[in-house]
Amino acid sequence: MPEEDGEYFGKNGEPRKYDPTFKGPIQNRGCTDIVCCILFIIAILGYFAVGILAWSQGDPRKVIYPTDSRGQFCGQAGTPLEKKPLLFYFNIMKCASPMVLLEFQCPTTQMCVEKCPEKFMTLIKAYSNKNDFDYYKQFCKDGVTNTMGVPDILKYGLCPAMLTPSKPFTRRCFPALGQKGGVITVGNNSHFDDGSGKMRDAKDLMDGVKNATVVIEARQVVMKIFEDYTQSWYWILIGLVIAMLTSLLFIVLLRFLAGIMVWVMIVLVILVIGYGIVHCYMEYAALKGEPGADVTLQDLGFQTDFTVYLQIRQTWLAFMIILAIVELIIILLLIFLRKRILIAVALIKEASRAIAHVMSSLFYPLFTFLLLAMVIAYWAVTAVFLSTSNEPIYKVFNETACEHSRQTCDPANYTTSSMKKECPDSECLFAFYGGETVYHKYLIGLQFYNVFLFFWCANFVTALGQMTLAGAFASYYWAFVKPDDMPAFPVFSALGRSLRYHTGTLAFGSLILAIIQIIRVLLEYLDHKLKGAQNKCTKFLLCCLKCCFWCLEKFIKFINRNAYIMVAIYGKNFCTSARDAFFLLMRNMIRVAVLDKVTDFLLFLGKLLIVGLVGIFAFFFFSGKVKAFENTAPHLHYYWVPILTVVIGSYLIAHGFFSVYAMCVDTLFLCFCEDLERNDGSAARPYYMSSTLHEILWKNKAEDLPSSSAQRQDDEDIQLKPKQAEEEDAT
């Protein structure tokens, strides 16, 4: 090696030496990173133990059914309250207390009822009429009889002092408030008797209803979204199937018409985004002069009904500006990278030839999707059971001053307890779900473990897919006579090698990534907790930390991806493979920056095109803006729910299919760099690359090597031409 070559290569590691026995992915290999493999197995067993513990302690009914003051579920099948699905508040005005927003519980008796009150009535007036009192007792505790006096009933809190006309809202009875001539009314009346003979304004109910609504607003939105999913799930599946078929069709066409399809893809992306800009402008112009359309987003604030934002001109203006910026960026990139795009298109053509020999690789993402779905489902179910594995906690609620206020109590014997004697008007009501056992003290730790193992397992599944595809495409590249020298089932062979020998390596790489991701989650949690109290210095520090760990995650993903390729080829451990891959890329830095990333950009445009096409179709279908779909589309609370689901799902599906191409390109690129260092194109040391791939990636060689090396490579290029001619004749 000339002195200047040694100086160039020395700081980036030594190049590969010629090895006549090397014929591609090594078959005779041993297990790697065994310690990490054992650690991963132990962690998985612990994960199963956490799941079993959560399933034995948790109760998802706590997030489905409303809970009365005794901690019982309203409307739960198979219980005495099965036919009482609604929650009734004895005195909704007590929900106006600021403590409601802190403790998420109204300091008034709550009970399950069959239906909400439909008319005004006070206990005193109802008691004088048997029929009225029989109706009134529907909203009283068990044990109330006609022989009991009104003072005793009120003293022991057996019945509410009054009933107001109410309507069910998220399985709870709220006063039927309205407006008449600008005056707040309830049941068409602006005043009501509060049960003590005092007339109150209907607007006094507003604060109680408002606070109670704040408490359940998040659940209301979740329930509406859940209902939308139940109404539209089959249409969402159809949309995702369309995205899958479109992606598969695009990949197949890319195999046979790579050059044409790439340019068609570029033009269609520009046209789709251009249509989005035009549509946003048309909506923006159509809202001109409409009442309330000129309200700013800042003045509007946060609304649970997101369709409100689509009635604001500023929303469409923001969409239009964002799409215009994206369009401009894409056009400028295409202009500046026009020469490199031609080379990248040729590289995609070569990747298409590789995929043609490994067609089963196109369906491998379905296996990855299945494994990821299992991981996500296990994490979600475990998280729900963990979050609902608390015990009901009861606290003392009272109207007057009481030293036992907000202390825990036992409802079973509270009427005879010392607390009740000292505070006669107090009640022992259900407050929330919690617990003080050892299990409940470490519950937050179990949730953390659940999240961490989710990241670890998800990254492991992704890493398994990358190593499997890398092994399959490496088998293609290092086959001197294709496909005769390739394994019969390259994908299955690579999958078997990965699981049998390199489970520890996969666990090692995914563990590093999971640690970084969990740190990012903790930083986001810390930022959320300190949002109200942090100063500018703390805010700046957190922002820097989040940015640094985001960059670190991207870098580790890049290193892991290339390390898995080297493991698939040579069968070495993670650290050695990561080092070899890094130095190999550093020795070919210009090619990495120019070719590999341009190819990634083109594949990203393909994903963007599929998402855009499916997203536009979903928008017109679910929004009902096309008359042909008006009677077919489901009636939803939020039509953006299925649209957003289809868009995100379409991107994940497109990413899965295009990741095969991306992995193929990355593997061919690393193999090409290895081939250049191992061989010289002579008859004794021929290149494994095809003549087309050599022509694609040779153009930048002079930029990447010292002058003497560039001259020597030109000589090697001349030696390669006889092999190229033979390959062309064979083709």
Side-chain angles (χ1 to χ4, degrees), residues 505-560:
T505 300
L506 294 171
F508 192 6
S510 54
L511 174 62
I512 297 172
L513 198 54
I515 292 173
I516 295 172
Q517 290 170 337
I518 203 68
I519 292 175
R520 289 190 63 199
V521 170
L522 292 175
L523 288 174
E524 291 292 342
Y525 176 78
L526 187 62
D527 186 28
H528 175 73
K529 284 294 184 182
L530 299 177
K531 189 164 290 184
Q534 65 185 348
N535 54 33
K536 291 184 178 179
C537 181
T538 307
K539 187 175 182 179
F540 175 75
L541 181 61
L542 277 174
C543 184
C544 290
L545 286 173
K546 289 194 292 184
C547 180
C548 289
F549 276 96
W550 179 84
C551 295
L552 181 60
E553 181 183 353
K554 296 297 180 184
F555 176 74
I556 293 298
K557 284 183 176 179
F558 176 76
I559 291 297
N560 283 7

Side-chain angles (χ1 to χ4, degrees), residues 112-126:
C112 302
V113 295
E114 187 175 348
K115 60 181 180 180
C116 297
E118 299 173 346
K119 51 187 175 181
F120 271 119
M121 194 174 292
T122 63
L123 178 60
I124 296 174
K125 291 183 178 180

Side-chain angles (χ1 to χ4, degrees), residues 268-300:
L268 285 179
V269 167
I270 294 174
L271 291 178
V272 167
I273 298 178
Y275 170 77
I277 296 173
V278 173
H279 181 80
C280 290
Y281 175 77
M282 292 173 62
E283 294 286 350
Y284 175 78
L287 289 172
K288 185 176 182 180
E290 293 291 329
D294 293 323
V295 176
T296 64
L297 294 173
Q298 184 176 3
D299 293 337
L300 185 62

Side-chain angles (χ1 to χ4, degrees), residues 239-258:
L240 296 179
V241 169
I242 291 174
M244 185 177 69
L245 294 177
T246 305
S247 301
L248 188 59
L249 177 63
F250 200 92
I251 292 294
V252 172
L253 291 176
L254 204 60
R255 156 68 186 94
F256 297 101
L257 304 169

Side-chain angles (χ1 to χ4, degrees), residues 412-578:
N413 57 7
Y414 185 72
T415 54
T416 59
S417 67
S418 59
M419 293 183 187
K420 182 67 174 178
K421 293 178 181 177
E422 295 176 17
C423 306
D425 63 339
S426 64
E427 293 181 274
C428 184
L429 304 178
F430 168 77
F432 55 85
Y433 288 101
E436 298 181 356
T437 64
V438 175
Y439 170 76
H440 295 101
K441 287 181 180 178
Y442 291 99
L443 193 58
I444 184 66
L446 296 178
Q447 287 281 24
F448 177 83
Y449 187 79
N450 183 37
V451 174
F452 179 73
L453 262 292
F454 165 70
F455 283 133
W456 196 356
C457 293
N459 290 325
F460 180 88
V461 170
T462 303
L464 177 62
Q466 292 175 346
M467 187 179 290
T468 299
L469 292 175
F473 293 126
S475 299
Y476 161 82
Y477 184 92
W478 295 108
F480 195 76
V481 179
K482 302 175 178 62
D484 295 343
D485 294 342
M486 293 174 58
F489 303 100
V491 173
F492 289 105
S493 299
L495 178 61
R497 288 196 302 270
S498 300
L499 290 175
R500 181 179 178 182
Y501 299 109
H502 307 302
T503 298
T505 300
L506 294 171
F508 192 6
S510 54
L511 174 62
I512 297 172
L513 198 54
I515 292 173
I516 295 172
Q517 290 170 337
I518 203 68
I519 292 175
R520 289 190 63 199
V521 170
L522 292 175
L523 288 174
E524 291 292 342
Y525 176 78
L526 187 62
D527 186 28
H528 175 73
K529 284 294 184 182
L530 299 177
K531 189 164 290 184
Q534 65 185 348
N535 54 33
K536 291 184 178 179
C537 181
T538 307
K539 187 175 182 179
F540 175 75
L541 181 61
L542 277 174
C543 184
C544 290
L545 286 173
K546 289 194 292 184
C547 180
C548 289
F549 276 96
W550 179 84
C551 295
L552 181 60
E553 181 183 353
K554 296 297 180 184
F555 176 74
I556 293 298
K557 284 183 176 179
F558 176 76
I559 291 297
N560 283 7
R561 184 182 180 90
N562 290 283
Y564 296 144
I565 296 175
M566 300 301 283
V567 172
I569 298 174
Y570 295 104
K572 296 182 179 179
N573 61 43
F574 178 81
C575 293
T576 302
S577 300

Side-chain angles (χ1 to χ4, degrees), residues 96-109:
S97 169
M99 295 302 296
V100 174
L101 300 179
L102 298 177
E103 299 183 350
F104 295 96
Q105 183 71 3
C106 290
T108 184
T109 302

